[in-house]
Amino acid sequence: MSTAPNGLNTNDIDLSIDLGGIKSPNPFWLASAPPTNMGSMVQRAFDAGWGGAVWKTLGSPIINVSSRLSSIDYGTRRMLGLNNIELITDRPLEVNFKEIYETKKKYPKNAVIVSLMVENKRDIWHEIVKRTNDTGADGIELNFGCPHGMSERGMGAATGQVPEYCQMITEWVKEVASMPVLVKLTPNVTDINQPARAAKRAGADGLSLINTINSLMGVNLDTWAPTPTVNGRSSHGGYCGPAVKPIALHMLSSLARDSQVGLPISGIGGIETWRDAVEFLLLGATGLQVCTAVMHYGYRIIEDLVAGLSNYLREKNLTSVKQLVGRAVPKVDDWGNLDLRYDVKARVDHDKCIGCNLCHIACEDGAHQAITLDGPMVKLSNGTTRPGPNVIDKECVGCNLCSLVCPVQGCITMTRIDKATEELSWNERAKRGSDEEPRPGAIYERHH
Amino acid sequence: MSLTTVPAPRAPFQEIAPPLSADQAAAEAARCLFCYDAPCIAACPTEIDIPRFIQRIATGDTVGAATTILSANILGGSCARVCPVEVLCEGSCVEKTLTKRPVTIGKLQRFATDYVLARNIDVLHAGAATGKSVGIIGAGPAGLGAAAELRKSGHAVTVYDERKWGGGLNTYAMAEYKQTAALALAEVEQVARLGAEFKQGVRVGRDVTLDDLLAKHALLFIGVGLGATSKLGVPGDAQARDALDWIEELKVAPEKVARLDGKRAVIVGGGNTAIDAVTQARRLGADATLVYRRGEAQMSAYRYEIDLARSMGCTLLFERAPVRVEAGALIVKGPLGEEKLAADLVIAAIGQQKRVEFLRGLPGVQVDEKGRLVVDAQTHRTHNPRLFAGGDCVNGGKEAVNAVAHGKKAARAMHAQLSADGVHSKNAQESK
Ligand SMILES: Cc1cc2nc3c(=O)[nH]c(=O)nc-3n(C[C@H](O)[C@H](O)[C@H](O)COP(=O)(O)OP(=O)(O)OC[C@H]3O[C@@H](n4cnc5c(N)ncnc54)[C@H](O)[C@@H]3O)c2cc1C
Ligand SMILES: Cc1cc2nc3c(=O)[nH]c(=O)nc-3n(C[C@H](O)[C@H](O)[C@H](O)COP(=O)(O)O)c2cc1C
Ligand code: SF4
């Protein structure tokens, strides 16, 4: 990491965004979920520094179950992934509308977005959108994503999974909405681009993604009841939190690359730190939404998201968060266009090596038997030495696994060894009908 | 004031706690549970948001971590080294209960602050100028704590200090194996870069009068600390060295300090300064002995400091009061009568005197029977509404972190007072 220029104030950095006409002092919004249940909560979040909030989804009255959340832990860390079987708001509509109005009035600079989900009838949608118009909120988000409970009643993901419904309802909403309309997509589809294009055709101003993923969190080993357990039984729920980030990033990049979509995107799914935020921005998100991380640690994390993002921009000599948006998108490509001549090999820094041998066993049993333990001596904690890892270039296919398991920062690096000549992709090779071996060992011929 | 003029620590004073590597810091930071309303924060006099800065280290935002630390405690780098963390933050870490191994908060704090200090990254910024001015007497931790906070609020700050270098005892007294003078001075420079003006070598009461300062500044902050070490008060005590003078020499004039191999050093006292003196004499090669007039349980030094002295091979003698200093010996009186302790070097470390004369000379203030300046606990205002105070001169001598916390508290109250009425600053303007 390079040295930050001395004395440049983080105040010099512009974090403001404009997402499909919705303006926000910073890109961080609370996603529609328990942290945005009511006015007092949203207002505390704004006081803490959140740029915007998508209100907990409004719709026809529902009743929630008791026991709603379940999570998956990893090592000593809790809640790597979270799952819920909660429905939309269980508070009366008029109370929510009144609090939305009051909140917007009190916080004119923050983005207040109203999430909606009602029965798929035109007049019912018109009715709730008109009431939303009166709140003075900045935007509407259509919840086409909730994968449990509501979908069985033909709403939420049941809508999001059928592009025609997506388009139809978005059109109804646009007929009466006086503010920008975002469509929140469900990831529970085979091709995320279809509902996104449908939303675009209907005139949506932006997209939000992802909502939660269909999941069953686990089973209690003593009662044999799945979790979260409601009087001995459970039901599938929606999965979110840090574990879902890669799925969200893939869908985000897929939409960002689709010229038939071309809408600003509010990226959601597993954002917990400023690093996650930067990745979403680079892959095409204009703004960001957070739910699980706030449910875990509270509104206070906004300070670290803002500080981390600002310090990062400063270090990269950038002045506005907008300069990050989509910068990694051109680097996402189809597999067939990747360069087959590009050749990397593992390189071990034996001064850094602590002698854990994890790289050896990973390569031996999980990859290509390219790391033997007869390399240069490495020093162990007790002061003695023993032979360390030795990479056999001929066998190393450059898969990265050893560098992923190595616990020492910067100890194993993947180093380019090809001559950087003209690229040759699979598609190009097929087109030319070439039988060239693009790099040594690329065509399998091992006999031992 | 330049770092290069301060000698680097010499061989016997290698650091007792080396810095963490990036890997160690990442592993250690990952252990923090990110408690809400964390007990460690409550245990820190300057209330650094510890879980937050550790979380920032864990996510790779080291600059952000340093920002969290330094905005609460401008001497975060020093405190990371010299604070008694065992009885402060780390002593209350929940991991101490859970795994018997508290997160090494001090070392993580050092990791983050070293990062920005080494790269000269300024994470704090002066506030928009208010046109008001505060004078600070004493460039020690209390004065620096006040100066940084006042600059953040945009007030002009001038610091007057009688010493050659700023930093107070943070520069001149901290055991060299914990912290070098160079580090302390780098922190003074940090405050200077915030726009505080330092007038070193200026003694208030001799080179300028208090009236001069009251005419020049809207408000004054008194952070004069304590005075010289008390004399042993026995015949021949002129032959004993003042612990503070001796330690100061180790730190800023090490070329004058000879090794003590084969020599006997006897240190009189039972506090942390006595421990610092006996351990440093030992590091210089001496056969080092601490004598204390009461029992071990009565020592004011921290338990782990006493353990440290023992583990280094220092001898600790109790229930022995000094009777006189002779050539080559200290005579003490113990349970068995008078004893002669052979000593090539006798060091007095029986506590610092209060600067009673100076404090009593301040107009309109109260000084208590123990020689401490009396202030309001919340605002740190003395009985004279234009005089605020903090640090050792108020609490009678505690830790650097307490002094910084006092300075910060006082600065916030001064800021409130200056924002509420412009009267005093106007007076100051007119009298210029
Ligand atoms: C040997 C020793 C070891 C210590 N070790 C530790 C430790 O490991 N950890 C820890 O946390 N604390 C330690 N302390 C305590 C710590 O140094 C003090 O608590 C802290 O420095 C107090 O800060 P202060 O600003 O109140 O006073 P000081 O640091 O004493 O600063 C006061 C400043 O005011 C100046 N001054 C005084 N009168 C005038 C005047 N009339 N005009 C101009 N300037 C004046 C002085 O020269 C001095 O620079 C130690 C103390 C000693 C003596
Ligand atoms: C308990 C819970 C309730 C939720 N309720 C809603 C909702 O009412 N409407 C909605 O659009 N999304 C809802 N979500 C989904 C979140 O808004 C968000 O899309 C999802 O949690 C992914 O983001 P994350 O990984 O930051 O948690 C809910 C999520 C949780 C955990
Ligand atoms: S978090 Fe715990 S206490 Fe709070 S509503 Fe859920 S179950 Fe109840």
Side-chain angles (χ1 to χ4, degrees):
Chain A
M1 284 214 260
S2 63
T3 303
N6 191 7
L8 182 58
N9 198 328
T10 33
N11 298 340
D12 304 339
I13 285 170
D14 177 16
L15 291 185
S16 71
I17 60 161
D18 180 334
L19 198 150
I22 305 174
K23 293 187 175 51
S24 172
N26 68 49
F28 299 106
W29 298 353
L30 290 171
S32 173
T36 61
N37 247 333
M38 52 189 173
S40 61
M41 294 178 81
V42 172
Q43 294 181 18
R44 275 197 290 123
F46 287 164
D47 288 339
W50 288 88
V54 186
W55 213 271
K56 173 75 186 169
T57 304
L58 311 189
S60 344
I62 55 92
I63 297 173
N64 269 312
V65 288
S66 169
S67 177
R68 307 176 195 176
L69 304 175
S70 179
S71 74
I72 180 165
D73 303 334
Y74 187 75
T76 57
R77 307 299 284 196
R78 309 296 313 264
M79 254 167 73
L80 179 70
L82 175 71
N83 142 303
N84 83 90
I85 54 172
E86 176 176 298
L87 305 182
I88 62 172
T89 188
D90 48 16
R91 308 172 74 227
L93 266 185
E94 43 300 350
V95 177
N96 276 310
F97 277 129
K98 180 167 164 279
E99 292 180 2
I100 291 167
Y101 172 80
E102 288 165 358
T103 302
K104 182 62 214 178
K105 217 168 151 196
K106 199 162 158 207
Y107 294 85
K109 292 202 174 106
N110 295 73
V112 178
I113 294 95
V114 183
S115 171
L116 299 177
M117 181 202 294
V118 289
E119 232 180 293
N120 287 342
K121 297 212 172 87
R122 187 161 177 247
D123 51 335
I124 296 182
W125 273 103
H126 276 185
E127 153 80 16
I128 198 160
V129 170
K130 282 180 191 155
R131 290 181 72 178
T132 307
N133 286 344
D134 295 337
T135 62
D138 302 281
I140 289 174
E141 185 179 85
L142 304 180
N143 180 351
F144 293 167
C146 186
H148 49 263
M150 304 310 287
S151 49
E152 286 89 327
R153 298 176 209 177
M155 294 177 263
T159 307
Q161 286 162 343
V162 185
E164 291 73 19
Y165 289 172
C166 263
Q167 179 168 347
M168 180 178 75
I169 293 163
T170 308
E171 279 167 359
W172 292 345
V173 171
K174 285 296 289 182
E175 282 164 9
V176 287
S178 63
M179 57 186 81
V181 176
L182 311 179
V183 173
K184 183 169 179 179
L185 300 174
T186 174
N188 300 308
V189 294
T190 43
D191 181 358
I192 192 70
N193 298 52
Q194 298 311 321
R197 288 175 187 177
K200 165 78 173 183
R201 284 195 297 275
D205 300 281
L207 300 170
S208 305
L209 99 163
I210 58 176
N211 208 311
T212 54
I213 302 170
N214 274 329
S215 61
L216 195 149
M217 276 319 267
V219 180
N220 182 307
L221 297 190
D222 296 320
T223 64
W224 297 357
T227 57
T229 312
V230 181
N231 199 11
R233 276 169 295 152
S234 190
S235 134
H236 78 274
Y239 193 37
C240 54
V244 309
K245 185 179 81 169
I247 297 166
L249 288 179
H250 162 245
M251 294 190 164
L252 169 66
S253 68
S254 177
L255 298 191
R257 293 174 63 206
D258 186 344
S259 59
Q260 294 182 54
V261 174
L263 287 173
I265 302 169
S266 183
I268 322 170
I271 298 173
E272 180 168 301
T273 72
W274 63 272
R275 289 180 171 274
D276 304 322
V278 170
E279 290 177 284
F280 272 79
L281 293 163
L282 289 173
L283 283 173
T286 297
L288 309 155
Q289 295 184 33
V290 180
C291 166
T292 305
V294 167
M295 291 180 69
H296 196 160
Y297 298 116
Y299 299 131
R300 60 187 169 138
I301 63 167
I302 185 60
E303 286 178 50
D304 309 299
L305 289 167
V306 166
L309 179 58
S310 305
N311 288 333
Y312 173 79
L313 288 168
R314 178 165 77 158
E315 189 179 291
K316 295 292 174 202
N317 280 320
L318 299 175
T319 51
S320 161
V321 67
K322 301 178 191 83
Q323 293 163 325
L324 286 179
V325 176
R327 295 289 286 272
V329 174
K331 303 188 184 204
V332 182
D333 209 335
D334 296 335
W335 189 93
N337 293 332
L338 301 182
D339 183 10
L340 294 174
R341 287 193 179 128
Y342 179 73
D343 199 4
V344 294
K345 303 288 179 202
R347 292 287 174 261
V348 181
D349 182 339
H350 292 90
D351 291 334
K352 289 190 174 151
C353 178
I354 56 172
C356 73
N357 292 343
L358 283 169
C359 56
H360 161 75
I361 197 62
C363 187
E364 193 66 12
D365 293 357
H368 302 268
Q369 301 80 49
I371 300 183
T372 52
L373 289 176
D374 52 2
M377 301 299 273
V378 301
K379 207 166 161 207
L380 304 182
S381 302
N382 62 7
T384 62
T385 58
R386 70 174 184 197
N390 181 31
V391 179
I392 305 162
D393 276 5
K394 196 161 71 63
E395 307 294 348
C396 173
V397 303
C399 75
N400 289 351
L401 181 63
C402 55
S403 71
L404 300 180
V405 300
C406 179
V408 185
Q409 291 179 27
C411 180
I412 300 185
T413 42
M414 302 305 300
T415 306
R416 183 171 189 178
I417 61 153
D418 69 281
K419 304 254 154 29
T421 49
E422 194 194 344
E423 290 188 17
L424 178 67
S425 68
W426 175 264
N427 290 345
E428 185 61 26
R429 190 169 173 275
K431 204 164 88 190
R432 288 187 206 157
S434 157
D435 58 1
E436 162 188 345
E437 181 167 55
R439 62 175 193 279
I443 293 174
Y444 187 78
E445 53 180 29
R446 270 173 63 167
H447 304 292
H448 54 269
Chain B
M1 190 192 327
S2 157
L3 297 190
T4 51
T5 58
V6 180
R10 297 183 315 155
F13 298 115
Q14 295 99 334
E15 288 182 302
I16 195 161
L20 297 179
S21 69
D23 282 309
Q24 284 176 303
E28 196 57 31
R31 296 181 53 226
C32 171
L33 297 182
F34 201 6
C35 300
Y36 180 76
D37 202 2
C40 54
I41 302 180
C44 171
T46 58
E47 296 179 332
I48 295 173
D49 192 341
I50 293 160
R52 188 183 289 290
F53 94 68
I54 294 180
Q55 211 64 17
R56 289 179 177 193
I57 291 176
T59 68
D61 183 12
T62 315
V63 175
T67 309
T68 300
I69 297 162
L70 295 172
S71 56
N73 180 343
I74 186 70
L75 299 194
S78 290
C79 287
R81 294 164 166 80
V82 306
C83 269
V85 290
E86 290 83 350
V87 298
L88 297 176
C89 51
E90 292 180 19
S92 64
C93 173
V94 294
E95 280 287 316
K96 194 176 161 193
T97 312
L98 203 60
T99 62
K100 305 277 175 275
R101 213 158 52 92
V103 174
T104 57
I105 298 167
K107 288 184 177 185
L108 286 169
Q109 181 168 319
R110 174 169 175 188
F111 178 79
T113 49
D114 276 2
Y115 186 91
V116 294
L117 277 178
R119 289 165 182 75
N120 274 337
I121 299 172
D122 286 327
V123 296
L124 303 179
H125 304 280
T130 61
K132 309 202 173 167
S133 150
V134 176
I136 292 177
I137 309 174
L144 294 174
E149 201 64 23
L150 288 163
R151 286 303 299 140
K152 287 195 275 176
S153 305
H155 305 297
V157 169
T158 310
V159 186
Y160 305 87
D161 190 285
E162 65 186 0
R163 298 257 199 177
K164 181 171 175 202
W165 287 310
L169 293 181
N170 205 33
T171 300
Y172 287 96
M174 298 300 170
E176 187 73 356
Y177 55 81
K178 290 185 193 165
Q179 172 178 294
T180 65
L183 186 276
L185 291 180
E187 287 182 323
V188 176
E189 289 194 345
Q190 204 171 233
V191 179
R193 285 203 302 273
L194 268 175
E197 191 189 347
F198 283 84
K199 295 207 183 292
Q200 293 297 143
V202 176
R203 180 181 196 157
V204 179
R206 182 190 64 194
D207 305 320
V208 286
T209 66
L210 197 78
D211 286 342
D212 294 338
L213 301 190
L214 281 168
K216 232 183 191 159
H217 304 289
L219 301 174
L220 295 181
F221 176 81
I222 317 291
V224 292
L226 302 175
T229 306
S230 306
K231 290 271 178 233
L232 290 178
V234 297
D237 65 1
Q239 295 172 59
R241 288 212 61 179
D242 171 337
L244 287 190
D245 281 351
W246 186 74
I247 291 172
E248 176 177 331
E249 211 168 271
L250 299 183
K251 293 188 67 74
V252 299
E255 69 284 352
K256 287 196 202 157
V257 180
R259 283 201 55 99
L260 297 173
D261 301 288
K263 302 261 167 71
R264 291 163 199 261
V266 175
I267 289 82
V268 184
N272 290 312
T273 299
I275 295 280
D276 281 1
V278 79
T279 52
Q280 290 183 104
R282 181 85 194 102
R283 279 178 177 245
L284 282 168
D287 175 353
T289 302
L290 177 149
V291 276
Y292 180 48
R293 67 194 156 94
R294 294 193 283 170
E296 181 165 353
Q298 282 82 46
M299 285 181 80
S300 60
Y302 291 116
R303 180 79 252 157
Y304 63 88
E305 293 277 25
I306 299 169
D307 292 344
L308 172 73
R310 280 221 174 84
S311 74
M312 290 177 63
C314 303
T315 306
L316 275 62
L317 297 176
F318 300 102
E319 314 288 354
R320 288 167 174 84
V323 175
R324 64 184 176 277
V325 187
E326 293 179 351
L330 173 71
I331 311 300
V332 294
K333 185 161 187 277
L336 308 172
E338 283 199 4
E339 281 173 71
K340 183 171 179 172
L341 304 176
D344 303 294
L345 173 66
V346 176
I347 298 176
I350 58 169
Q352 289 173 264
Q353 293 159 1
K354 311 290 189 303
R355 296 186 190 270
V356 183
E357 200 185 324
F358 177 85
L359 299 181
R360 292 238 162 88
L362 299 170
V365 305
Q366 282 186 19
V367 178
D368 72 9
E369 72 287 353
K370 288 186 170 159
R372 297 174 301 196
L373 199 47
V374 178
V375 298
D376 172 72
Q378 292 313 310
T379 59
H380 276 258
R381 186 169 34 209
T382 66
H383 285 78
N384 178 339
R386 290 183 63 196
L387 299 183
F388 290 70
D392 282 359
C393 68
V394 164
N395 61 26
K398 281 192 174 170
E399 310 298 333
V401 68
N402 300 103
V404 177
H406 282 186
K408 189 170 92 169
K409 254 191 180 173
R412 290 191 175 161
M414 287 189 269
H415 173 59
Q417 186 164 321
L418 290 170
S419 311
D421 70 316
V423 180
H424 296 309
S425 76
K426 245 199 233 139
N427 286 348
Q429 295 295 331
E430 283 162 9
S431 60
K432 251 188 206 166

